[in-house]
Each structure stands twice: as structure tokens, then as C-alpha cells.
Short mmCIF file of all heavy atoms in Angstrom, two decimals:
data_model
loop_
_atom_site.label_atom_id
_atom_site.label_comp_id
_atom_site.label_asym_id
_atom_site.label_seq_id
_atom_site.Cartn_x
_atom_site.Cartn_y
_atom_site.Cartn_z
N MET U 1395 26.07 65.59 93.13
CA MET U 1395 26.82 65.75 91.87
C MET U 1395 28.06 66.63 92.14
O MET U 1395 27.92 67.72 92.70
CB MET U 1395 25.90 66.41 90.83
CG MET U 1395 26.51 66.44 89.45
SD MET U 1395 25.38 67.21 88.25
CE MET U 1395 24.10 65.96 88.09
N PRO U 1396 29.20 66.18 91.77
CA PRO U 1396 30.41 66.98 92.03
C PRO U 1396 30.44 68.24 91.16
O PRO U 1396 29.86 68.29 90.08
CB PRO U 1396 31.56 66.05 91.64
CG PRO U 1396 30.97 64.72 91.39
CD PRO U 1396 29.52 64.91 91.14
N THR U 1397 31.09 69.22 91.68
CA THR U 1397 31.33 70.44 90.93
C THR U 1397 32.82 70.51 90.58
O THR U 1397 33.66 70.38 91.47
CB THR U 1397 30.94 71.67 91.75
OG1 THR U 1397 29.57 71.55 92.10
CG2 THR U 1397 31.14 72.94 90.96
N TYR U 1398 33.09 70.68 89.33
CA TYR U 1398 34.47 70.73 88.89
C TYR U 1398 34.88 72.18 88.67
O TYR U 1398 34.20 72.91 87.97
CB TYR U 1398 34.65 69.92 87.61
CG TYR U 1398 34.32 68.47 87.80
CD1 TYR U 1398 33.05 67.98 87.49
CD2 TYR U 1398 35.25 67.60 88.34
CE1 TYR U 1398 32.73 66.66 87.70
CE2 TYR U 1398 34.94 66.27 88.54
CZ TYR U 1398 33.67 65.80 88.22
OH TYR U 1398 33.34 64.49 88.42
N GLN U 1399 35.96 72.53 89.29
CA GLN U 1399 36.43 73.91 89.22
C GLN U 1399 37.40 74.06 88.05
O GLN U 1399 38.32 73.27 87.89
CB GLN U 1399 37.17 74.28 90.51
CG GLN U 1399 36.32 74.14 91.76
CD GLN U 1399 35.30 75.24 91.86
OE1 GLN U 1399 35.59 76.40 91.58
NE2 GLN U 1399 34.10 74.88 92.25
N TYR U 1400 37.16 75.09 87.28
CA TYR U 1400 38.03 75.37 86.14
C TYR U 1400 38.53 76.80 86.22
O TYR U 1400 37.89 77.67 86.81
CB TYR U 1400 37.27 75.19 84.82
CG TYR U 1400 37.07 73.76 84.40
CD1 TYR U 1400 36.01 73.03 84.90
CD2 TYR U 1400 37.95 73.15 83.51
CE1 TYR U 1400 35.83 71.71 84.53
CE2 TYR U 1400 37.76 71.83 83.14
CZ TYR U 1400 36.71 71.12 83.64
OH TYR U 1400 36.52 69.83 83.27
N ARG U 1401 39.65 77.02 85.58
CA ARG U 1401 40.14 78.38 85.40
C ARG U 1401 40.46 78.57 83.93
O ARG U 1401 41.13 77.75 83.31
CB ARG U 1401 41.38 78.62 86.24
CG ARG U 1401 42.08 79.93 85.86
CD ARG U 1401 43.08 80.36 86.87
NE ARG U 1401 42.41 80.77 88.11
CZ ARG U 1401 43.06 81.16 89.20
NH1 ARG U 1401 44.37 81.18 89.21
NH2 ARG U 1401 42.40 81.53 90.26
N CYS U 1402 39.97 79.68 83.41
CA CYS U 1402 40.26 80.01 82.02
C CYS U 1402 41.70 80.54 81.94
O CYS U 1402 42.07 81.44 82.69
CB CYS U 1402 39.28 81.07 81.54
SG CYS U 1402 39.63 81.65 79.89
N THR U 1403 42.48 79.96 81.06
CA THR U 1403 43.86 80.43 80.93
C THR U 1403 43.93 81.65 80.02
O THR U 1403 44.97 82.27 79.89
CB THR U 1403 44.76 79.33 80.38
OG1 THR U 1403 44.29 78.91 79.12
CG2 THR U 1403 44.80 78.14 81.32
N ASN U 1404 42.81 81.98 79.41
CA ASN U 1404 42.78 83.16 78.54
C ASN U 1404 42.51 84.43 79.34
O ASN U 1404 43.23 85.42 79.22
CB ASN U 1404 41.72 82.95 77.46
CG ASN U 1404 41.72 84.07 76.44
OD1 ASN U 1404 42.77 84.47 75.96
ND2 ASN U 1404 40.55 84.58 76.12
N CYS U 1405 41.47 84.40 80.19
CA CYS U 1405 41.10 85.61 80.93
C CYS U 1405 41.19 85.41 82.44
O CYS U 1405 40.82 86.30 83.19
CB CYS U 1405 39.71 86.07 80.52
SG CYS U 1405 38.38 85.00 81.11
N GLU U 1406 41.63 84.22 82.87
CA GLU U 1406 41.82 83.94 84.30
C GLU U 1406 40.51 83.92 85.08
O GLU U 1406 40.52 84.08 86.30
CB GLU U 1406 42.79 84.95 84.93
CG GLU U 1406 44.06 85.11 84.14
CD GLU U 1406 45.28 84.79 84.98
OE1 GLU U 1406 45.39 85.38 86.06
OE2 GLU U 1406 46.10 83.97 84.55
N HIS U 1407 39.42 83.73 84.39
CA HIS U 1407 38.14 83.64 85.06
C HIS U 1407 37.99 82.25 85.67
O HIS U 1407 38.28 81.26 85.02
CB HIS U 1407 37.03 83.91 84.05
CG HIS U 1407 35.65 83.85 84.63
ND1 HIS U 1407 35.24 84.66 85.66
CD2 HIS U 1407 34.59 83.05 84.33
CE1 HIS U 1407 33.98 84.37 85.96
NE2 HIS U 1407 33.57 83.40 85.18
N ASP U 1408 37.54 82.21 86.93
CA ASP U 1408 37.27 80.94 87.59
C ASP U 1408 35.80 80.61 87.46
O ASP U 1408 34.95 81.46 87.66
CB ASP U 1408 37.61 81.02 89.08
CG ASP U 1408 39.11 81.11 89.30
OD1 ASP U 1408 39.86 80.65 88.45
OD2 ASP U 1408 39.50 81.67 90.34
N PHE U 1409 35.53 79.37 87.13
CA PHE U 1409 34.14 78.96 87.05
C PHE U 1409 34.03 77.49 87.42
O PHE U 1409 35.04 76.81 87.59
CB PHE U 1409 33.56 79.24 85.65
CG PHE U 1409 34.25 78.50 84.54
CD1 PHE U 1409 33.69 77.35 84.01
CD2 PHE U 1409 35.44 78.97 84.01
CE1 PHE U 1409 34.30 76.67 82.98
CE2 PHE U 1409 36.07 78.29 82.97
CZ PHE U 1409 35.50 77.14 82.45
N ALA U 1410 32.81 77.05 87.56
CA ALA U 1410 32.58 75.68 88.00
C ALA U 1410 31.59 75.00 87.07
O ALA U 1410 30.68 75.63 86.53
CB ALA U 1410 32.04 75.67 89.42
N LEU U 1411 31.81 73.74 86.88
CA LEU U 1411 30.89 72.93 86.10
C LEU U 1411 30.37 71.80 86.97
O LEU U 1411 31.14 71.15 87.65
CB LEU U 1411 31.62 72.30 84.91
CG LEU U 1411 31.91 73.15 83.69
CD1 LEU U 1411 32.56 72.27 82.64
CD2 LEU U 1411 30.65 73.77 83.14
N LYS U 1412 29.08 71.61 86.91
CA LYS U 1412 28.51 70.45 87.59
C LYS U 1412 28.34 69.35 86.57
O LYS U 1412 27.81 69.57 85.49
CB LYS U 1412 27.14 70.80 88.18
CG LYS U 1412 27.23 71.47 89.52
CD LYS U 1412 25.84 71.58 90.10
CE LYS U 1412 25.88 72.38 91.40
NZ LYS U 1412 24.54 72.54 91.96
N ALA U 1413 28.78 68.19 86.94
CA ALA U 1413 28.63 67.05 86.05
C ALA U 1413 28.72 65.78 86.87
O ALA U 1413 29.35 65.76 87.92
CB ALA U 1413 29.72 67.05 84.99
N THR U 1414 28.11 64.77 86.36
CA THR U 1414 28.27 63.48 87.01
C THR U 1414 29.65 62.95 86.70
O THR U 1414 30.31 63.40 85.75
CB THR U 1414 27.22 62.47 86.51
OG1 THR U 1414 27.46 62.24 85.12
CG2 THR U 1414 25.81 63.00 86.70
N VAL U 1415 30.09 61.99 87.49
CA VAL U 1415 31.40 61.40 87.25
C VAL U 1415 31.43 60.75 85.88
O VAL U 1415 32.43 60.81 85.16
CB VAL U 1415 31.72 60.38 88.36
CG1 VAL U 1415 33.01 59.63 88.05
CG2 VAL U 1415 31.85 61.10 89.70
N ALA U 1416 30.32 60.17 85.49
CA ALA U 1416 30.25 59.53 84.17
C ALA U 1416 30.42 60.57 83.07
O ALA U 1416 31.14 60.34 82.09
CB ALA U 1416 28.92 58.80 84.01
N GLU U 1417 29.78 61.71 83.25
CA GLU U 1417 29.92 62.78 82.25
C GLU U 1417 31.35 63.29 82.22
O GLU U 1417 31.91 63.58 81.16
CB GLU U 1417 28.98 63.94 82.59
CG GLU U 1417 27.54 63.68 82.20
CD GLU U 1417 26.61 64.79 82.70
OE1 GLU U 1417 26.92 65.44 83.71
OE2 GLU U 1417 25.57 64.97 82.08
N TYR U 1418 31.93 63.38 83.40
CA TYR U 1418 33.30 63.87 83.47
C TYR U 1418 34.25 62.89 82.78
O TYR U 1418 35.13 63.29 82.02
CB TYR U 1418 33.70 64.06 84.93
CG TYR U 1418 35.12 64.52 85.07
CD1 TYR U 1418 35.46 65.84 84.77
CD2 TYR U 1418 36.11 63.64 85.46
CE1 TYR U 1418 36.76 66.27 84.87
CE2 TYR U 1418 37.41 64.07 85.57
CZ TYR U 1418 37.74 65.38 85.27
OH TYR U 1418 39.03 65.78 85.37
N ASP U 1419 34.06 61.60 83.07
CA ASP U 1419 34.91 60.58 82.44
C ASP U 1419 34.75 60.60 80.93
O ASP U 1419 35.67 60.28 80.19
CB ASP U 1419 34.53 59.19 82.97
CG ASP U 1419 35.09 58.94 84.36
OD1 ASP U 1419 35.98 59.71 84.79
OD2 ASP U 1419 34.64 57.99 85.01
N ASP U 1420 33.58 61.00 80.49
CA ASP U 1420 33.28 61.04 79.07
C ASP U 1420 33.97 62.23 78.41
O ASP U 1420 34.07 62.32 77.20
CB ASP U 1420 31.77 61.16 78.91
CG ASP U 1420 31.27 60.31 77.77
OD1 ASP U 1420 31.91 59.27 77.49
OD2 ASP U 1420 30.24 60.67 77.17
N GLY U 1421 34.42 63.16 79.21
CA GLY U 1421 35.08 64.35 78.68
C GLY U 1421 34.14 65.54 78.65
O GLY U 1421 33.24 65.62 77.82
N LEU U 1422 34.35 66.45 79.59
CA LEU U 1422 33.50 67.63 79.62
C LEU U 1422 33.97 68.63 78.57
O LEU U 1422 35.16 68.82 78.37
CB LEU U 1422 33.58 68.29 81.00
CG LEU U 1422 32.89 67.54 82.13
CD1 LEU U 1422 33.06 68.31 83.43
CD2 LEU U 1422 31.43 67.35 81.83
N ASP U 1423 33.01 69.24 77.95
CA ASP U 1423 33.31 70.26 76.95
C ASP U 1423 33.31 71.62 77.65
O ASP U 1423 32.37 72.38 77.54
CB ASP U 1423 32.27 70.20 75.83
CG ASP U 1423 32.69 71.04 74.65
OD1 ASP U 1423 33.88 71.40 74.56
OD2 ASP U 1423 31.83 71.34 73.82
N ALA U 1424 34.38 71.88 78.37
CA ALA U 1424 34.41 73.08 79.20
C ALA U 1424 34.86 74.28 78.38
O ALA U 1424 35.90 74.25 77.72
CB ALA U 1424 35.35 72.85 80.38
N THR U 1425 34.06 75.31 78.45
CA THR U 1425 34.46 76.57 77.85
C THR U 1425 34.22 77.68 78.86
O THR U 1425 33.32 77.60 79.69
CB THR U 1425 33.65 76.88 76.58
OG1 THR U 1425 32.27 76.83 76.88
CG2 THR U 1425 33.98 75.90 75.47
N CYS U 1426 35.00 78.71 78.78
CA CYS U 1426 34.89 79.83 79.70
C CYS U 1426 33.57 80.56 79.46
O CYS U 1426 33.29 80.97 78.34
CB CYS U 1426 36.07 80.77 79.49
SG CYS U 1426 35.94 82.28 80.44
N PRO U 1427 32.76 80.74 80.51
CA PRO U 1427 31.49 81.45 80.33
C PRO U 1427 31.68 82.94 80.11
O PRO U 1427 30.75 83.64 79.71
CB PRO U 1427 30.75 81.18 81.65
CG PRO U 1427 31.81 80.87 82.64
CD PRO U 1427 32.95 80.26 81.88
N LYS U 1428 32.85 83.43 80.38
CA LYS U 1428 33.09 84.86 80.28
C LYS U 1428 33.57 85.24 78.88
O LYS U 1428 33.02 86.14 78.25
CB LYS U 1428 34.12 85.28 81.33
CG LYS U 1428 34.27 86.76 81.50
CD LYS U 1428 35.18 87.05 82.68
CE LYS U 1428 35.41 88.55 82.83
NZ LYS U 1428 36.38 88.83 83.89
N CYS U 1429 34.60 84.56 78.41
CA CYS U 1429 35.17 84.93 77.12
C CYS U 1429 34.92 83.88 76.05
O CYS U 1429 35.22 84.10 74.89
CB CYS U 1429 36.66 85.23 77.26
SG CYS U 1429 37.67 83.76 77.52
N GLY U 1430 34.40 82.71 76.45
CA GLY U 1430 34.08 81.69 75.48
C GLY U 1430 35.26 80.85 75.03
O GLY U 1430 35.12 79.99 74.17
N SER U 1431 36.40 81.09 75.62
CA SER U 1431 37.59 80.33 75.24
C SER U 1431 37.49 78.90 75.74
O SER U 1431 36.91 78.65 76.80
CB SER U 1431 38.83 81.00 75.83
OG SER U 1431 39.96 80.17 75.67
N ASP U 1432 38.05 77.98 74.99
CA ASP U 1432 38.13 76.62 75.51
C ASP U 1432 39.51 76.34 76.10
O ASP U 1432 39.84 75.20 76.40
CB ASP U 1432 37.74 75.59 74.45
CG ASP U 1432 38.63 75.64 73.22
OD1 ASP U 1432 39.59 76.45 73.21
OD2 ASP U 1432 38.38 74.87 72.29
N GLU U 1433 40.27 77.36 76.28
CA GLU U 1433 41.58 77.21 76.93
C GLU U 1433 41.39 77.24 78.44
O GLU U 1433 41.71 78.21 79.11
CB GLU U 1433 42.51 78.34 76.48
CG GLU U 1433 42.79 78.37 75.00
CD GLU U 1433 43.63 77.18 74.55
OE1 GLU U 1433 44.59 76.84 75.26
OE2 GLU U 1433 43.32 76.61 73.51
N VAL U 1434 40.82 76.17 78.95
CA VAL U 1434 40.54 76.12 80.37
C VAL U 1434 41.31 74.97 80.99
O VAL U 1434 41.62 73.97 80.34
CB VAL U 1434 39.03 75.98 80.66
CG1 VAL U 1434 38.28 77.18 80.12
CG2 VAL U 1434 38.49 74.70 80.08
N LYS U 1435 41.55 75.12 82.25
CA LYS U 1435 42.37 74.17 82.97
C LYS U 1435 41.61 73.79 84.23
O LYS U 1435 41.12 74.65 84.96
CB LYS U 1435 43.68 74.88 83.33
CG LYS U 1435 44.73 74.04 83.93
CD LYS U 1435 46.05 74.81 83.97
CE LYS U 1435 46.01 76.00 84.93
NZ LYS U 1435 47.33 76.61 85.12
N ARG U 1436 41.50 72.51 84.48
CA ARG U 1436 40.80 72.11 85.69
C ARG U 1436 41.69 72.33 86.90
O ARG U 1436 42.88 72.08 86.86
CB ARG U 1436 40.38 70.64 85.63
CG ARG U 1436 39.52 70.30 86.83
CD ARG U 1436 38.63 69.13 86.58
NE ARG U 1436 39.29 67.84 86.81
CZ ARG U 1436 39.42 67.30 88.03
NH1 ARG U 1436 38.95 67.92 89.08
NH2 ARG U 1436 40.02 66.16 88.18
N ARG U 1437 41.07 72.81 87.95
CA ARG U 1437 41.80 73.04 89.18
C ARG U 1437 41.69 71.80 90.03
O ARG U 1437 40.76 71.63 90.81
CB ARG U 1437 41.25 74.27 89.88
CG ARG U 1437 41.42 75.52 89.05
CD ARG U 1437 40.58 76.63 89.55
NE ARG U 1437 40.97 77.01 90.92
CZ ARG U 1437 40.16 77.65 91.76
NH1 ARG U 1437 38.96 77.97 91.37
NH2 ARG U 1437 40.56 77.97 92.95
N ILE U 1438 42.65 70.93 89.86
CA ILE U 1438 42.61 69.64 90.54
C ILE U 1438 42.75 69.84 92.05
O ILE U 1438 43.53 70.65 92.50
CB ILE U 1438 43.73 68.74 89.99
CG1 ILE U 1438 43.44 68.44 88.52
CG2 ILE U 1438 43.83 67.44 90.79
CD1 ILE U 1438 44.56 67.66 87.85
N GLY U 1439 41.95 69.11 92.79
CA GLY U 1439 41.97 69.23 94.23
C GLY U 1439 40.89 70.15 94.74
O GLY U 1439 40.73 70.30 95.94
N ASP U 1440 40.16 70.76 93.83
CA ASP U 1440 39.12 71.69 94.22
C ASP U 1440 37.74 71.15 93.94
O ASP U 1440 36.81 71.90 93.79
CB ASP U 1440 39.29 73.01 93.46
CG ASP U 1440 40.04 74.02 94.30
OD1 ASP U 1440 40.38 73.69 95.45
OD2 ASP U 1440 40.29 75.12 93.80
N ILE U 1441 37.63 69.86 93.88
CA ILE U 1441 36.31 69.28 93.66
C ILE U 1441 35.46 69.49 94.90
O ILE U 1441 35.89 69.21 96.00
CB ILE U 1441 36.41 67.79 93.33
CG1 ILE U 1441 37.19 67.60 92.02
CG2 ILE U 1441 35.03 67.16 93.21
CD1 ILE U 1441 37.38 66.14 91.67
N MET U 1442 34.29 70.02 94.72
CA MET U 1442 33.39 70.22 95.84
C MET U 1442 32.14 69.37 95.63
O MET U 1442 31.63 69.28 94.53
CB MET U 1442 32.97 71.69 95.95
CG MET U 1442 34.13 72.58 96.33
SD MET U 1442 33.58 74.27 96.57
CE MET U 1442 32.88 74.66 95.00
N ILE U 1443 31.69 68.80 96.69
CA ILE U 1443 30.42 68.10 96.65
C ILE U 1443 29.34 69.10 97.03
O ILE U 1443 29.43 69.76 98.06
CB ILE U 1443 30.44 66.91 97.62
CG1 ILE U 1443 31.63 65.99 97.31
CG2 ILE U 1443 29.13 66.13 97.52
CD1 ILE U 1443 31.64 65.42 95.91
N SER U 1444 28.34 69.20 96.18
CA SER U 1444 27.40 70.30 96.33
C SER U 1444 26.65 70.25 97.66
O SER U 1444 26.24 71.28 98.17
CB SER U 1444 26.43 70.29 95.16
OG SER U 1444 25.88 69.01 95.00
N SER U 1445 26.48 69.07 98.21
CA SER U 1445 25.73 68.99 99.45
C SER U 1445 26.62 69.20 100.67
O SER U 1445 26.14 69.33 101.77
CB SER U 1445 25.03 67.63 99.55
OG SER U 1445 25.99 66.61 99.58
N GLY U 1446 27.92 69.23 100.44
CA GLY U 1446 28.84 69.33 101.57
C GLY U 1446 29.12 70.76 101.96
O GLY U 1446 28.78 71.70 101.26
N SER U 1447 29.75 70.92 103.09
CA SER U 1447 30.20 72.24 103.51
C SER U 1447 31.63 72.44 103.00
O SER U 1447 31.99 71.89 101.97
CB SER U 1447 30.12 72.36 105.03
OG SER U 1447 30.79 71.30 105.65
N SER U 1448 32.42 73.20 103.69
CA SER U 1448 33.76 73.47 103.21
C SER U 1448 34.56 72.17 103.12
O SER U 1448 34.48 71.31 103.98
CB SER U 1448 34.46 74.43 104.16
OG SER U 1448 34.58 73.85 105.43
N GLY U 1449 35.32 72.06 102.06
CA GLY U 1449 36.02 70.83 101.80
C GLY U 1449 37.18 70.62 102.74
O GLY U 1449 38.02 71.50 102.90
N ASP U 1450 37.21 69.48 103.37
CA ASP U 1450 38.35 69.15 104.21
C ASP U 1450 39.00 67.87 103.72
O ASP U 1450 39.62 67.16 104.46
CB ASP U 1450 37.93 69.04 105.67
CG ASP U 1450 36.88 67.96 105.89
OD1 ASP U 1450 36.43 67.39 104.88
OD2 ASP U 1450 36.54 67.67 107.03
N GLY U 1451 38.80 67.56 102.45
CA GLY U 1451 39.41 66.36 101.93
C GLY U 1451 38.40 65.44 101.31
O GLY U 1451 37.81 65.76 100.29
N ALA U 1452 38.20 64.31 101.95
CA ALA U 1452 37.41 63.26 101.33
C ALA U 1452 35.94 63.62 101.26
O ALA U 1452 35.37 64.12 102.23
CB ALA U 1452 37.58 61.98 102.13
N PRO U 1453 35.33 63.40 100.11
CA PRO U 1453 33.89 63.55 100.02
C PRO U 1453 33.19 62.50 100.88
O PRO U 1453 33.69 61.38 101.01
CB PRO U 1453 33.57 63.34 98.55
CG PRO U 1453 34.78 62.74 97.96
CD PRO U 1453 35.94 63.00 98.86
N ARG U 1454 32.11 62.90 101.46
CA ARG U 1454 31.40 61.96 102.32
C ARG U 1454 30.22 61.36 101.57
O ARG U 1454 29.24 62.04 101.33
CB ARG U 1454 30.90 62.68 103.57
CG ARG U 1454 32.01 63.05 104.49
CD ARG U 1454 31.46 63.64 105.79
NE ARG U 1454 32.56 64.12 106.61
CZ ARG U 1454 33.20 65.26 106.40
NH1 ARG U 1454 32.84 66.03 105.39
NH2 ARG U 1454 34.19 65.63 107.18
N CYS U 1455 30.36 60.12 101.24
CA CYS U 1455 29.29 59.42 100.56
C CYS U 1455 28.90 58.22 101.39
O CYS U 1455 29.74 57.44 101.78
CB CYS U 1455 29.75 58.95 99.18
SG CYS U 1455 30.14 60.31 98.10
N THR U 1456 27.64 58.11 101.65
CA THR U 1456 27.18 56.94 102.36
C THR U 1456 26.69 55.93 101.34
O THR U 1456 26.08 56.32 100.34
CB THR U 1456 26.04 57.30 103.31
OG1 THR U 1456 25.04 57.97 102.57
CG2 THR U 1456 26.53 58.20 104.43
N PRO U 1457 26.96 54.67 101.58
CA PRO U 1457 26.48 53.65 100.63
C PRO U 1457 24.97 53.72 100.49
O PRO U 1457 24.25 53.76 101.48
CB PRO U 1457 26.89 52.33 101.29
CG PRO U 1457 28.00 52.70 102.24
CD PRO U 1457 27.70 54.10 102.69
N GLY U 1458 24.53 53.79 99.26
CA GLY U 1458 23.10 53.86 99.01
C GLY U 1458 22.50 55.22 99.26
O GLY U 1458 21.31 55.42 99.10
N GLY U 1459 23.32 56.18 99.64
CA GLY U 1459 22.80 57.51 99.94
C GLY U 1459 22.45 58.30 98.70
O GLY U 1459 21.71 59.25 98.75
N GLY U 1460 23.05 57.91 97.58
CA GLY U 1460 22.73 58.56 96.33
C GLY U 1460 23.24 59.99 96.22
O GLY U 1460 22.76 60.76 95.42
N CYS U 1461 24.24 60.33 97.01
CA CYS U 1461 24.73 61.69 96.96
C CYS U 1461 25.63 61.90 95.77
O CYS U 1461 25.87 63.02 95.37
CB CYS U 1461 25.43 62.07 98.25
SG CYS U 1461 26.96 61.18 98.51
N CYS U 1462 26.18 60.85 95.20
CA CYS U 1462 27.09 61.00 94.06
C CYS U 1462 26.49 60.34 92.84
O CYS U 1462 26.73 59.23 92.56
CB CYS U 1462 28.46 60.40 94.34
SG CYS U 1462 29.27 61.19 95.71
ZN1 LIG I 2609 37.90 83.26 79.73
#
């Protein structure tokens, strides 16, 4: 399951949300866990795959592997 990185534009707190791609496409209701603001901005390019190590670009998914 991918982790989506967000930054709160209110208090600058960085946090992450785990969601399936389907949930993400559906629109995540992201709010800052620190101040509760919904003024959050996704940090594009910082998607991490939870099973992976440090990100070097493309997520590694094997067909039928069920990692995503
Ligand atoms: Zn905040």
C-alpha cells in the first residue's frame, strides 16, 4: 500500500497517509494530525512503497505479487 506524504500548510507538520490507489483516486480526506487543519498539500514525488527501501524512483511491483 503506498504511503502518501503530506505537509500541513498551517503548521508545516509533515505526515503520511497510507491508502490504496483506489482510495486515493476517490479523494483522501487528509487533515493534519497535529493541528487538525485540512490545509494540507501533498508532497508529490515522495510516494513511498511501504515494503520498499529508500526510494530511487520507480516502485517495484511484480505482476501478481500483490504488493500494491
Ligand atoms: Zn497542521
Side-chain angles (χ1 to χ4, degrees):
M1395 189 179 289
T1397 302
Y1398 298 95
Q1399 301 287 318
Y1400 283 84
R1401 168 166 291 178
C1402 175
T1403 59
N1404 186 46
C1405 71
E1406 311 238 307
H1407 180 59
D1408 290 334
F1409 61 100
L1411 282 184
K1412 277 188 185 178
T1414 64
V1415 173
E1417 282 173 333
Y1418 178 75
D1419 283 345
D1420 220 29
L1422 288 180
D1423 191 16
T1425 55
C1426 173
K1428 191 173 177 185
C1429 72
S1431 170
D1432 60 2
E1433 298 291 318
V1434 298
K1435 187 169 67 172
R1436 186 156 84 82
R1437 297 165 62 202
I1438 295 175
D1440 263 358
I1441 297 178
M1442 293 184 301
I1443 305 300
S1444 51
S1445 63
S1447 53
S1448 63
D1450 60 355
R1454 289 185 186 78
C1455 296
T1456 54
C1461 67
C1462 298

